[in-house]
Amino acid sequence: MFSIPRNVTRPARYMGIEPNRVLKQPEKGDVRFALCYPDVYEIGMSYLGHFLLYELMNNLEGVWCERCFAPWHDMEDYLRKGDRSLFTLESRTPLCEMDLVGFSLTYEMNVTNVLNMLSLGNIPIKAEERQKGPIVIGGGPLMLNPTPFQPFFDLIVVGEAEDVLVEIVTRVKAMKGLPRSRIIEELAGLEGVFSPLLGKKAVKRLYVEDLNASYHPVRPPIPVVGSVHNRLNIEISRGCGNGCRFCIAGYGYRPYRERDPLRLAEIIDRATKETGYEEISLLSLSSGDYSCLSSLIGHVRSKHKDISLSLPSLKIGSIAEEEIELLGRGAKGGFTFALETSTAELRDRLNKDIQIESLISHLPLLKRHGWRKVKLYFMVGFPWEKEEDFMAIRDLITPFVRNRIEVNLSVSPFTPKPHTPFQWLAMEDEAGLREKIRLVRKAAAGKGVKVKVRDIRTSIIEALISRGDGRLFPLFEELHRSRVRLEAWGECFNPDIYDEWLRGRNGLGESILGARDANQTLPWDFIDTGVDKSFLREELERAEGKEKTANCYRSCAGCGLSCGAPRQEALRCCTQDSTSYLGVEGTSSQTPGEMAGQSEAAYTTFTIRYSKCGDSRYIGHLDTIDIVLRAVRAAGISLKMHGKYHPKPRVSLSPALPVGIESTCEMLEIEAEGINSMDSSLIGKMDRCLPKGMRIMGATRGGMDSTHNDFGYLLVGETGLEGEVLRTGNGGSRTFYLWQGTNIKELWLSGKYERIVKIDNRRIDGFRADYQRNIQ
Ligand code: SF4
């Protein structure tokens, strides 16, 4: 049994016990890949791209891909103090013993975590210092400008990595045993890949041409610590055709591609069975643009009625009334709209094509479906803003207030990003941004609106890194020496360190954050995204002239990718056939509760008894409930939903079990639809979706009786401790005690007891059997 110190927070992060994790018995010659996400477990386990690569590589014979996340400070201290290496979750192998170590970089503030994870994994942070050990690969959106941190990587992959990674691991398998430098040289020759060790070359961004032919994960490991987006993520499309001039995702992920709705329906059906998730998120850069949205929502609503849906990014006007009707019956999390600016003139400059009137006209409909809140996103820091633009926010929120819809205003500083038409603009300075945010607050004052502002100094550092060049490399070395890491967490971010470093470097910050000359070569120009630089320049001129550019759904603006509008249309694959196949014609005015049909269907109450032993003792109470309910759903059992608009299942449970304590007698009461008993095959199906160490012990009809409160604790420790001694262990090394007191958490934290196991009082006499069967 894996043991980590009792004072480490959320220890389940490090156990590697998730249902659906992939375990293999590697043979000599197999390729071992550590897929690293440079932030903590909860963030990395929310990232669809991570699961895509994980599943794709593990589907290959002779390749084992394992996960690794950044440890929190307390776990890092434990590793450093004991001279232990950061390890992969599945096999607990030190990073330095893997063949390949790959990082997905999605956020500028995570670069320092890469360095920390490398050093914790006993891998030199600079590529030039690595003579042996794994080849370190960098990928993810940040590689659209890797210049500030590229010396940390042996290889860099630019763009969508799935196809080339399969090629990389296949070639590494074939070349095993060859010198490291020879392998790097060979891999650097692949399209979309380069090695900073071998000098600069023009690199073409990779993208998947046929999204339908590309893989979509269906069996992601299910988090055992609540992840940030704890739900089934389904990617419905990639890229975005809207052409917002500030958006790096819009330019860096072109062209717009959709997945076939019939294929998506199959993926949803399979993945819900494999995971039991209670929520599905239809992922896209602009979900409302997906041409088959209502069919797909209808499929989920009709086939998975106790699962809620969320659309993370909506463009106003892109979601039709029919879709609000369908969504409204089971949507989760409310609606979020990115307005970006308050006036039509500014929106024209940004090429943000939205119809505010359309949103306002939909407010009564939103209310009818129980929605009382919206989140509106704004950006500040564009060079054309005037005071009256901020004051216009007041007029914009008035209709919401009149309709008694709560508004949360989320305001972020605009950061001019590489490869966008605004790459030549300057980042607004701190004082300017503070003044603009003051004006936003003033405009919203007295309207009952909550204003949440993204930290200005974080945004400025983000801009510095994303627009930076090789001159920032020593900064990262310095940050690493100063043990800076986990900077995406507010409490760990200290902008003063950056300010101090920049102060001694004569205008370096200004030259990176300031406006760029039109004729200047930019540090990221060697990355060829497929979009012509001349097109970006023309788009900036159109912004200055308040001119809009048509989106890719209507016509082709000729960005240089040559995907062409007619072809774009062909990629939008919602056919009449698929719409009718998915069978979602018409709408209904049912509330979610009515739709779940609880009034007609037969429901039976069951009490599920389960054990939580070994490594799973580190899973927290609330996470455990989610896990068991997911196992129930994954077994095909529908739960009775309660609540008119945002239904939830009703459950009762035995008292909360502190983290670290094991149990053989946990109970959960549920209301299940359409079944009268839970036989062994159903229990087996539930077991399949439980983490290592958890097991369903049985399920009985009826509610929890008083026995759930009749328990004691078995304490296992060294001899000579106080307590009712039940048995002295073999060789006198361990003694088993019975404890009926309440301060069990303190006993665990005291460290005196090796294991503490909650047991059913009626089974005390049989504890030896319990011990042998369930605990060991
Ligand atoms: S080539 Fe045309 S349709 Fe394709 S991404 Fe560029 S502008 Fe859009």
Side-chain angles (χ1 to χ4, degrees), residues 659-726:
V659 169
I661 313 294
E662 298 167 70
S663 174
T664 59
C665 57
E666 291 306 283
M667 290 191 208
L668 181 74
E669 181 188 304
I670 57 162
E671 296 165 311
E673 178 190 345
I675 52 167
N676 292 317
S677 66
M678 290 201 195
D679 59 16
S680 55
S681 106
L682 216 45
I683 285 175
K685 284 183 188 166
M686 285 191 261
D687 268 341
R688 198 175 48 89
C689 272
L690 289 178
K692 182 183 167 208
M694 281 182 71
R695 195 156 71 81
I696 304 290
M697 315 281 286
T700 47
R701 273 182 76 142
M704 259 184 343
D705 55 29
S706 58
T707 56
H708 76 273
N709 267 328
D710 190 13
F711 57 83
Y713 294 97
L714 188 66
L715 277 50
V716 183
E718 300 292 315
T719 52
L721 299 174
E722 286 175 16
E724 183 191 338
V725 178
L726 283 182

Side-chain angles (χ1 to χ4, degrees), residues 241 254-256 531 535 551-552 555-565 568:
R254 285 186 171 210
Y256 179 69
V531 177
F535 177 80
N551 64 42
C552 303
S555 62
C556 173
C559 73
L561 262 178
S562 306
C563 79
Q568 193 71 69

Side-chain angles (χ1 to χ4, degrees), residues 305-306 590-599 601 603 639 641 647 673:
K305 58 189 181 180
D306 55 352
Q590 280 180 310
T591 67
E594 286 158 357
M595 206 192 112
Q598 67 259 38
S599 47
Y603 292 93
L639 295 167
M641 305 299 276
E673 178 190 345

Side-chain angles (χ1 to χ4, degrees), residues 384-392 435 438-439 442:
W384 309 282
E385 287 158 343
K386 299 182 290 296
E387 184 164 346
E388 51 268 35
D389 294 319
F390 300 107
M391 288 306 115
E435 173 57 13
R438 187 189 68 78
L439 292 171
K442 189 175 161 196

